[in-house]
Amino acid sequence: METENQNPFQLDVGNLLAFNPFHNFPSLPTSRDELVKECLQEGTKLVQAVADSLFNLPSTEDVDGPLVKLPPPTTKLPREKHLPKPKPPTKWEEFAKKKGIKKRKKDKVVWDEQTGTWKRRFGYDRVNDDKDIPIIEAKMTDEPGEDPFAKRQDDKKKRVEKQEKNRFQNLKQAAKLGALPSHVQLAATALPITGTQVPPKKVTKDELGNVAGMAATSTASGGKFDRKLPGEKPAKKQGKHRKFLPVVEGSGIGSREKEQTENVLNKLISKHSHEILNVDKAVTMYNVKKEKKARNRKNQEGRSSSTSNELKPKKQLHKKGAKRGPGSSRKGKA
Amino acid sequence: MMKIKTPKKGRVKRELDKRAPKLVETGKKTLILQGTKTSGTLNSVLSEIYHLKKGGAVRFTRKNDNIRPFESGGETSLEFFSLKTDCSIFVYGSHSKKRPNNLVIGRMYDHHVYDLVEVGVENFKSIESFTYDKKIAPRVGSKPFIAFVGEGFENVDELKHLKEVLLDLLRGKVVENINLAGLDRAYVCTAISSNKVYLTHCALRLKKSGTVVPRMELVEVGPSMDLVVRRHRLPNEGLRKEAMKTAKDQPKKKVKNVSSDAIQGTIGKIYIPDQKVGEMALPNKAKGVKRERREAKNKDANEHASKKQKEESE
């Protein structure tokens, strides 16, 4: 019995690989079939060699069959991705190492003195919640007009912001060294523009709705036959937005315009009724005044020029028209 | 201004973690695509390679004009696809008068082209043309035996490179344990001449023999083709050194609450909190519960009545 089996093949059981470096075809076989047969023969020998060492490995029984633990592969192949770099320690971790502070395991529930029950450390119904404090005692250092409850909330917000900032700095440091955790990405929210930075304008829901409506109706058929998305509401104002009445007067719709204008006029007149001038009365008043003035002057000048009165031009007509001017224009405007 | 983006869903986080670089790597995924023009044989070659590597391969069916692996600018599309599909080996097929039935097999390191081998396919026989007993047909995804025959693989540079690339392409997932009943396929690559390799895929038939080791019999089932090496590009020395780096073996993390026994095998401990059976809320109002309430109500009413009587009597 041969104790040492010298096989000239190079075996890599981890990869189920066998390599025969000594075979060569002294002369190529003439037919294809012969070639194939010879290749298969050689292949069989190699596979048998691998199987020999494989089946002799210690095996454990499994449901489907014997399970064998493969040795690690010996052929070196290039990796597909670079080696992962270890995460650099965060600022707190460095500080803790320097001071010798060790991590302590925290319990999920904590004993709450106030209510006398076990409550969570964080989350809904937690131990030291800000909203559960009924009374805060005033200290000598407190300013009088300050709300201590609001102050507590502000302090907490500031602490949270500081923590976020520190976390961000740690991640930036890790990204610089190329060791960012795979699920975290640092994204730039805005371009680094120097000078006045204008924050991006936020569009309100109504504005978006308006724009969406405009876009939807800007098709050739006014958006009537477009397929609606699931959950899309129908347009707010359907149909024409303005209605122009026919110009020609008549019965039915034709008389509507007259009605419209009447309505408008009535509204206006009722509003400004205390200001409206009674034109006829104003005219008669003016005429009376004028006549009185003329009579006075006639009496003053009187006996000297009696004939000249008829010859004097009648100015009243012009003035009457002038008086009527603003009155008539007012009516026209209404 | 920068902000931290973390995925909001656990599924996204798991996918990102899958694609992250690992200390110990399992198998590479293959990307199979084609160029401007392909021939009939090349189409069947590509589809059969995809079929052989079903679990870990992505097949693109459109033609890609702008991919020229051997030119300096023609690799950007390939790198982009590799990044998006997380594939580190690609098989690119194209057909032209100068290079008929051309296959470029390439590997990526960190989604950049690492090395390339260009081969031409001759004498291709597809899976359908082989007749065999269907019972021994190899299953999809099983780990194959790989056999290389010929001194050409040792002496000729190009064939050495091709051997490495073929090993990477054909080996599948790297596993620690293997089920001996599931070994059913083998690839045989023979160096016929200094630039030709005969590659064939066979099914294994295990025959009874006297010892523990069964006798192997190879039956040709799958595609068989002649590969003629045309061009190849080796990686630069620095890149090769970096890619071949391995991490020192680290001690495995201890799995909690699991212990193993020689007699019982693997034992796991499960911790269940105390069930307060009396305080649990019943899901359906069972008839018994209703009756209880009714009786309790009646009892109260009787008590009231008796109290009144007492008062009256007093």
Side-chain angles (χ1 to χ4, degrees):
Chain A
M1 273 277 260
E2 281 181 6
T3 44
E4 214 179 45
N5 197 0
Q6 274 271 10
N7 62 337
F9 309 144
Q10 291 177 8
L11 293 178
D12 179 5
V13 187
N15 272 328
L16 296 183
L17 171 72
F19 175 37
N20 178 5
F22 300 114
H23 178 90
N24 66 340
F25 289 96
S27 63
L28 266 182
T30 43
S31 80
R32 180 109 184 134
D33 284 338
E34 294 258 338
L35 177 72
V36 170
K37 219 163 74 173
E38 190 161 348
C39 293
L40 279 188
Q41 267 177 0
E42 295 295 320
T44 321
K45 282 190 227 166
L46 284 169
V47 172
Q48 191 68 53
V50 178
D52 280 342
S53 38
L54 189 66
F55 278 82
N56 285 326
L57 288 171
S59 70
T60 56
E61 267 300 316
D62 203 41
V63 182
D64 308 315
L67 215 65
V68 168
K69 187 162 154 54
L70 282 177
T74 51
T75 5
K76 280 182 86 174
L77 288 167
R79 286 177 61 95
E80 63 169 326
K81 290 182 187 137
H82 61 269
L83 279 166
K85 294 199 189 80
K87 226 170 63 147
T90 60
K91 290 198 71 179
W92 166 255
E93 279 172 5
E94 283 173 5
F95 178 77
K97 207 164 111 179
K98 195 172 69 166
K99 288 274 187 170
I101 302 172
K102 289 219 192 323
K103 265 198 215 178
R104 256 185 233 160
K105 179 115 173 121
K106 298 184 177 100
D107 285 331
K108 208 157 141 182
V109 281
V110 186
W111 176 253
D112 184 19
E113 283 296 331
Q114 202 185 4
T115 51
T117 52
W118 288 92
K119 282 197 179 175
R120 280 163 234 205
R121 262 193 64 244
F122 56 86
Y124 173 73
D125 192 29
R126 54 180 175 265
V127 176
N128 290 326
D129 203 359
D130 264 353
K131 62 180 171 50
D132 284 339
I133 307 172
I135 303 168
I136 300 179
E137 291 183 21
K139 289 193 281 206
M140 295 298 286
T141 51
D142 274 348
E143 284 177 28
E146 211 182 357
D147 180 11
F149 297 98
K151 188 162 169 295
R152 272 183 79 102
Q153 280 188 349
D154 281 338
D155 282 342
K156 180 163 183 184
K157 257 198 198 158
K158 281 202 199 110
R159 271 181 277 136
V160 170
E161 273 178 25
K162 181 171 180 289
Q163 178 56 31
E164 276 300 312
K165 200 163 66 92
N166 288 347
R167 176 179 171 229
F168 181 63
Q169 289 297 327
N170 283 329
L171 283 174
K172 263 211 307 201
Q173 183 65 22
K176 207 162 73 164
L177 295 175
L180 202 59
S182 58
H183 54 272
V184 176
Q185 276 177 302
L186 290 178
T189 50
L191 291 170
I193 306 170
T194 54
T196 51
Q197 279 201 12
V198 181
K201 212 173 84 159
K202 271 197 181 171
V203 194
T204 56
K205 190 169 151 186
D206 298 325
E207 244 177 80
L208 270 178
N210 282 343
V211 174
M214 272 196 263
T217 50
S218 56
T219 56
S221 51
K224 222 165 121 178
F225 302 104
D226 288 338
R227 212 178 296 161
K228 277 209 168 28
L229 290 168
E232 197 182 330
K233 294 193 192 133
K236 257 197 251 184
K237 253 198 196 176
Q238 280 182 341
K240 288 195 176 170
H241 293 263
R242 287 187 72 183
K243 192 170 180 181
F244 292 105
L245 295 162
V247 179
V248 178
E249 252 191 44
S251 57
I253 297 182
S255 58
R256 280 268 212 98
E257 204 195 358
K258 196 173 170 191
E259 275 179 39
Q260 264 191 352
T261 43
E262 263 188 53
N263 287 341
V264 177
L265 265 175
N266 286 336
K267 254 196 218 163
L268 268 173
I269 289 172
S270 61
K271 255 195 201 171
H272 302 286
S273 51
H274 57 280
E275 287 175 358
I276 281 188
L277 188 69
N278 189 350
V279 182
D280 298 307
K281 199 172 179 185
V283 166
T284 39
M285 269 176 78
Y286 184 77
N287 287 341
V288 163
K289 218 191 218 177
K290 224 15 192 209
E291 277 176 359
K292 226 189 211 174
K293 224 186 196 177
R295 226 178 290 132
N296 286 348
R297 219 181 291 150
K298 206 165 84 182
N299 292 341
Q300 277 179 7
E301 284 174 36
R303 286 91 207 168
S304 53
S305 53
S306 53
T307 49
S308 54
N309 265 351
E310 277 107 77
L311 291 173
K312 273 191 187 161
K314 286 192 175 169
K315 292 176 203 165
Q316 294 168 354
L317 287 165
H318 294 293
K319 282 209 173 147
K320 267 191 185 171
K323 194 62 189 179
R324 213 174 257 157
S328 60
S329 68
R330 205 180 265 180
K331 213 175 183 176
K333 270 181 192 165
Chain B
M1 265 290 285
M2 297 228 270
K3 69 171 176 144
I4 306 168
K5 258 170 82 171
T6 42
K8 294 275 185 284
K9 293 224 177 289
R11 176 172 52 93
V12 180
K13 180 167 187 282
R14 284 192 292 268
E15 281 299 320
L16 284 173
D17 281 341
K18 262 192 222 169
R19 297 192 174 194
K22 300 183 197 75
L23 269 173
V24 178
E25 282 183 346
T26 54
K28 306 182 182 176
K29 277 186 16 187
T30 313
L31 177 65
I32 304 174
L33 49 129
Q34 55 212 49
T36 337
K37 201 161 88 158
T38 47
S39 58
T41 48
L42 203 62
N43 274 334
S44 34
V45 168
L46 290 174
S47 46
E48 290 193 3
I49 293 178
Y50 175 61
H51 192 73
L52 287 177
K53 295 210 71 181
K54 210 39 174 305
V58 178
R59 173 109 159 94
F60 283 179
T61 41
R62 286 216 195 144
K63 63 176 189 175
N64 304 293
D65 309 351
N66 50 352
I67 296 183
R68 285 171 222 281
F70 279 90
E71 282 171 40
S72 58
E75 307 162 336
T76 45
S77 251
L78 270 176
E79 293 179 357
F80 175 72
F81 291 145
S82 156
L83 185 67
K84 285 294 172 180
T85 55
D86 196 31
C87 289
S88 294
I89 313 184
F90 66 88
V91 175
Y92 169 78
S94 68
H95 177 81
S96 69
K97 206 154 157 200
K98 188 171 173 191
R99 296 176 222 275
N101 294 333
N102 203 23
L103 269 187
V104 179
I105 311 174
R107 292 185 288 184
M108 302 275 196
Y109 178 72
D110 257 352
H111 302 295
H112 295 294
V113 169
Y114 174 76
D115 64 356
L116 305 162
V117 169
E118 188 177 49
V119 287
V121 175
E122 290 174 7
N123 296 328
F124 173 69
K125 284 181 82 179
S126 84
I127 297 179
E128 280 97 45
S129 60
F130 288 96
T131 50
Y132 52 91
D133 185 14
K134 295 295 176 200
K135 274 189 261 181
I136 55 168
R139 304 226 197 89
V140 173
S142 53
K143 193 146 170 76
F145 281 96
I146 311 178
F148 286 98
V149 181
E151 58 181 9
F153 284 122
E154 184 87 7
N155 305 333
V156 184
D157 255 356
E158 295 170 327
L159 290 187
K160 239 198 314 197
H161 191 201
L162 181 65
K163 172 169 170 280
E164 198 185 318
V165 174
L166 278 178
L167 174 63
D168 222 347
L169 180 71
L170 299 171
R171 74 170 167 164
K173 274 208 159 96
V174 182
V175 285
E176 274 200 12
N177 301 324
I178 190 168
N179 187 355
L180 293 176
L183 295 167
D184 50 7
R185 55 164 85 192
Y187 291 98
V188 179
C189 317
T190 336
I192 311 175
S193 70
S194 63
N195 65 344
K196 232 190 207 183
V197 169
Y198 174 67
L199 169 68
T200 179
H201 173 236
C202 314
L204 281 182
R205 198 186 267 160
L206 307 173
K207 288 240 172 102
K208 264 201 197 352
S209 78
T211 56
V212 186
V213 185
R215 198 159 59 85
M216 296 285 175
E217 200 179 298
L218 263 61
V219 178
E220 259 200 301
V221 294
S224 76
M225 56 190 102
D226 276 356
L227 301 175
V228 178
V229 179
R230 288 183 184 151
R231 293 188 279 184
H232 75 129
R233 195 209 283 178
L234 289 165
N236 348 338
E237 210 36 56
L239 193 60
R240 200 183 79 85
K241 276 216 170 92
E242 198 185 324
M244 291 293 199
K245 267 196 239 178
T246 50
K248 262 188 271 187
D249 280 358
Q250 289 190 341
K252 249 208 247 172
K253 273 195 175 173
K254 190 175 189 303
V255 184
K256 283 188 178 178
N257 292 329
V258 170
S259 61
S260 65
D261 209 355
I263 304 168
Q264 290 170 317
T266 327
I267 312 169
K269 274 194 201 166
I270 306 173
Y271 294 95
I272 308 178
D274 279 337
Q275 264 188 324
K276 296 201 177 78
V277 184
E279 291 171 22
M280 287 206 296
L282 289 169
N284 327 318
K285 299 280 192 255
K287 207 167 179 185
V289 180
K290 279 195 196 159
R291 197 187 300 151
E292 262 179 25
R293 288 192 71 195
R294 222 184 313 137
E295 280 176 356
K297 254 199 213 166
N298 285 343
K299 211 170 75 173
D300 278 339
N302 283 343
E303 275 181 8
H304 272 290
S306 62
K307 269 193 183 163
K308 269 196 177 168
Q309 281 177 358
K310 269 193 181 172
E311 284 171 7
E312 280 177 15
S313 63
E314 280 174 22

